[in-house]
């Protein structure tokens, strides 16, 4: 499934030429506005609600965890943030004579791979690309079809698999890097001699656990591993495993509700070690949960980028676009994730080719992406090998009731020795 970007680029030349002629997975490419070639999901007719009758419309799809899955508290703000992001793009002139619509094709995957595939199949013939596909296992369920149809997609996840997939536009450090850096931080700053990974199964949890194991072995500290399932009532095994192993630091990779149960109940049973939660583990609602005292005492949060209140042009634009919302770093994530697709669409429009194949070809030309300061220079490289393009900097936060999203910065962007020296020649969990 995973493929080396440089090799894939060479192997795809013939396929690209063919697809450019016939359009995506069967549609005919035609000339659209401004002489730009288009196929799926791009019309000369204006978008319904942007108010720009002189522009055509680029339709992008969203598949997220919107009602009952474990990440709905993140997914809803991610989705709202991306609506605001693309509205800003439209207000600033659109892309190549087109506005962008991200409201017509929005579906709920309930964090279920089967539902993900079902709703994807329903919308795929009507969209140019996916501005969001939430979840590692859910996105993996449609990955072969994304590749076959050359549909570029933006993940709401950070598995190291995405660095090996051309059609997936990842942003920030992957779970593997994040956990490597967290273990290095635990060893260097907390004096950890024994590390444990507690995590969900699948690309999300397994990737983070793999990074923790790699770093623990490199740093010469003990390592243990425990897999858990989603659900408040399913954490007994994980809690027992933490208490039995008594690690100095637990790298925790679950949903927020599961995290609260694990942290709260281990602390109630006398556990004194620390937790460092992978980024999706956190939600500021944890500060109002029964586990809040334990979380404040024991928990640190790793992150791929800085939180809502940070002073950068991108963060400022985000806050101005969503002036009335309660701050939540789901909004921050949704905004950051949208930048690479914007860059790819702009490049494709410059190339006069807004077909699916044209957007993928534009991705191959992206040496960097302007994140308006939300990620450091060097992020957003989609050329070269996965090892060359993998972004390796993360941050550490701690619970802070005075902070806008409940966490305050402890350690700015850094790369630990484990991630710095690691070669990304395949996904970490494979």
């Amino acid at each position: 499934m995973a493929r080396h970007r440089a090799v894939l680029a060479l192997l795809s030349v013939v396929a690209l030429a063919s697809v450019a002629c016939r359009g995506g997975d069967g549609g005919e490419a035609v000339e659209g506005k401004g002489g730009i070639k288009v196929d799926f999901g791009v019309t000369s007719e204006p978008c319904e609600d942007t108010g720009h009758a002189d522009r055509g419309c680029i339709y992008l799809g969203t598949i997220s965890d919107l009602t009952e899955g474990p990440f709905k508290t993140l997914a809803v703000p991610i989705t709202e943030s991306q609506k605001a992001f693309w509205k800003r793009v439209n207000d600033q002139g659109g892309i190549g004579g087109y506005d962008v619509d991200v409201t017509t094709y929005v579906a709920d995957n309930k964090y279920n791979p089967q539902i993900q595939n079902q709703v994807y199949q329903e919308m795929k013939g009507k969209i140019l690309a996916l501005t969001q596909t939430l979840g590692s296992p859910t996105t993996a369920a449609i990955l072969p079809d994304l590749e076959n149809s050359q549909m570029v997609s933006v993940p709401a996840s950070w598995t190291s698999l995405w660095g090996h997939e051309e059609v997936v536009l990842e942003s920030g450090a992957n779970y593997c890097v994040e956990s490597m850096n967290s273990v290095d931080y635990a060893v260097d700053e907390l004096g950890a001699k024994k590390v444990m990974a507690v995590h969900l199964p699948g690309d999300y949890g397994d990737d983070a656990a793999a990074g923790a194991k790699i770093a623990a072995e490199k740093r010469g500290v003990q390592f243990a591993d425990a897999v858990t399932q989603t659900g408040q009532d399913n954490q007994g095994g994980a809690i027992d495993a933490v208490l039995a192993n008594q690690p100095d630091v637990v790298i925790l990779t679950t949903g927020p509700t599961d995290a609260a149960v694990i942290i709260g109940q281990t602390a109630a049973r006398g556990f004194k070690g620390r937790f460092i939660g992978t980024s999706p583990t956190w939600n500021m609602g944890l500060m109002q949960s029964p586990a809040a005292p334990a979380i404040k005492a024991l928990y640190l949060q790793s992150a791929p980028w800085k939180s809502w209140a940070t002073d950068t042009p991108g963060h400022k634009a985000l806050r101005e676009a969503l002036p009335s919302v309660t701050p939540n770093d789901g909004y921050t994530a949704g905004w950051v994730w949208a930048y690479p697709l914007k860059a790819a669409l702009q490049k494709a429009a410059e190339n006069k080719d807004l077909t699916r194949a044209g957007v993928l070809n534009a991705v191959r030309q992206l040496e960097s992406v302007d994140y308006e300061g939300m990620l450091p220079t060097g992020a957003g490289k989609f050329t070269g090998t996965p090892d060359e393009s993998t972004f390796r900097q993360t941050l550490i936060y701690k619970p802070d009731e005075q902070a806008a999203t409940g966490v305050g910065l402890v350690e700015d962007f850094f790369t630990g020795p484990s991630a710095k020296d690691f070669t990304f020649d395949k996904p970490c969990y494979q």
Side-chain angles (χ1 to χ4, degrees):
M1 184 181 294
R3 291 190 238 176
H4 196 290
R5 277 199 174 116
V7 174
L8 184 56
L10 291 172
L11 294 177
S12 297
V13 172
V14 175
L16 262 177
S18 171
V19 172
C21 292
R22 63 185 171 81
D25 50 7
E28 290 293 333
V30 299
E31 186 174 306
K33 282 185 169 288
I36 296 174
K37 186 165 53 178
V38 302
D39 56 11
F40 290 94
V42 184
T43 68
S44 295
E45 292 75 30
C47 301
E48 188 171 329
D49 296 319
T50 58
H52 303 132
D54 59 330
R55 300 180 196 165
C57 193
I58 298 169
Y59 290 93
L60 304 177
T62 294
I63 307 175
S64 198
D65 179 13
L66 299 174
T67 57
E68 60 188 60
F71 298 104
K72 63 183 179 183
T73 54
L74 283 170
V76 172
I78 287 168
T79 303
E80 291 304 308
S81 177
Q82 293 191 333
K83 290 177 182 177
F85 180 95
W86 291 109
K87 181 181 185 301
R88 178 180 181 235
V89 170
N90 295 338
D91 290 345
Q92 292 178 336
I95 292 175
Y98 294 88
D99 279 337
V100 179
D101 177 296
V102 295
T103 61
T104 300
Y105 300 105
V106 178
D108 181 12
N109 66 14
K110 304 181 182 180
Y111 204 68
N112 180 306
Q114 288 73 37
I115 296 175
Q116 168 93 9
N117 186 57
Q118 176 187 334
V119 296
Y120 165 73
Q121 295 297 334
E122 291 170 356
M123 72 171 63
K124 80 168 190 175
K126 305 167 187 174
I127 59 174
L128 174 61
L130 284 169
T131 189
Q132 184 193 156
T133 168
L134 185 137
S136 302
T138 44
T139 302
I142 64 170
L143 188 55
D145 201 313
L146 293 174
E147 293 174 325
N148 184 57
S149 61
Q150 297 196 320
M151 186 186 292
V152 170
S153 60
V154 174
S157 61
W158 292 271
T159 171
S160 61
L161 171 62
W162 303 152
H164 300 260
E165 296 293 344
E166 275 202 316
V167 294
V168 182
L169 299 184
E170 73 277 12
S171 292
N174 58 51
Y175 300 123
C176 183
V177 165
E178 191 176 338
S179 294
M180 287 185 199
N181 286 345
S182 291
V183 169
D184 284 335
Y185 180 86
V187 172
D188 294 336
E189 302 298 328
L190 304 178
K193 301 291 192 294
K194 192 174 184 180
V195 173
M196 184 174 189
V198 174
H199 60 98
L200 298 179
D203 294 9
Y204 168 41
D206 290 349
D207 201 48
K213 183 179 180 181
I214 290 164
E217 290 175 348
K218 181 174 178 61
R219 301 305 301 270
V221 299
Q222 293 183 54
F223 178 77
D225 180 274
V227 179
T228 189
Q229 303 293 327
T230 59
Q232 297 181 64
D233 298 331
N234 296 328
Q235 304 312 316
I239 293 163
D240 290 343
V242 171
L243 294 171
N245 281 275
Q246 288 294 316
D248 299 309
V249 173
V250 176
I251 306 300
L252 189 59
T253 309
T254 65
T257 302
D258 303 330
V261 173
I262 293 169
I263 297 167
Q265 294 192 16
T266 53
R269 292 169 61 180
F271 181 64
K272 303 295 185 184
R274 305 294 295 276
F275 293 86
I276 303 179
T278 315
S279 45
T281 303
W282 175 257
N283 180 276
M284 65 182 301
L286 297 182
M287 298 290 270
Q288 281 74 53
S289 74
I295 289 168
K296 293 173 191 176
L298 303 179
Y299 184 78
L300 293 169
Q301 174 63 36
S302 61
W305 42 65
K306 292 186 180 180
S307 64
W308 167 274
T310 306
D311 184 18
T312 74
H315 284 88
K316 182 173 183 288
L318 164 64
R319 293 190 296 270
E320 289 176 349
L322 294 164
S324 303
V325 303
T326 300
N328 180 313
D329 280 320
Y331 295 114
T332 314
W335 194 271
V336 175
W337 270 317
Y339 281 109
L341 184 53
K342 175 192 173 187
L345 293 177
Q346 288 175 325
K347 185 65 176 175
E350 291 171 11
N351 295 342
K352 300 293 185 181
D353 191 350
L354 272 171
T355 64
R356 286 184 187 166
V359 176
L360 181 56
N361 188 49
V363 169
R364 295 189 177 116
Q365 300 173 39
L366 294 179
E367 288 284 345
S368 64
V369 169
D370 180 7
Y371 287 95
E372 296 188 282
M374 297 179 85
L375 280 172
T377 302
K381 177 178 171 62
F382 293 97
T383 60
T385 68
D387 189 54
E388 292 167 338
S389 61
T390 295
F391 186 70
R392 304 178 190 229
Q393 300 180 47
T394 59
L395 311 98
I396 300 290
Y397 281 81
K398 66 178 180 180
D400 180 354
E401 290 178 295
Q402 304 306 311
T405 57
V407 288
L409 186 64
V410 174
E411 188 77 19
D412 210 331
F413 281 108
F414 75 102
T415 303
S418 299
K420 181 180 179 181
D421 295 341
F422 188 73
T423 300
F424 286 90
D425 54 5
K426 63 180 181 179
C428 293
Y429 60 88
Q430 289 185 355

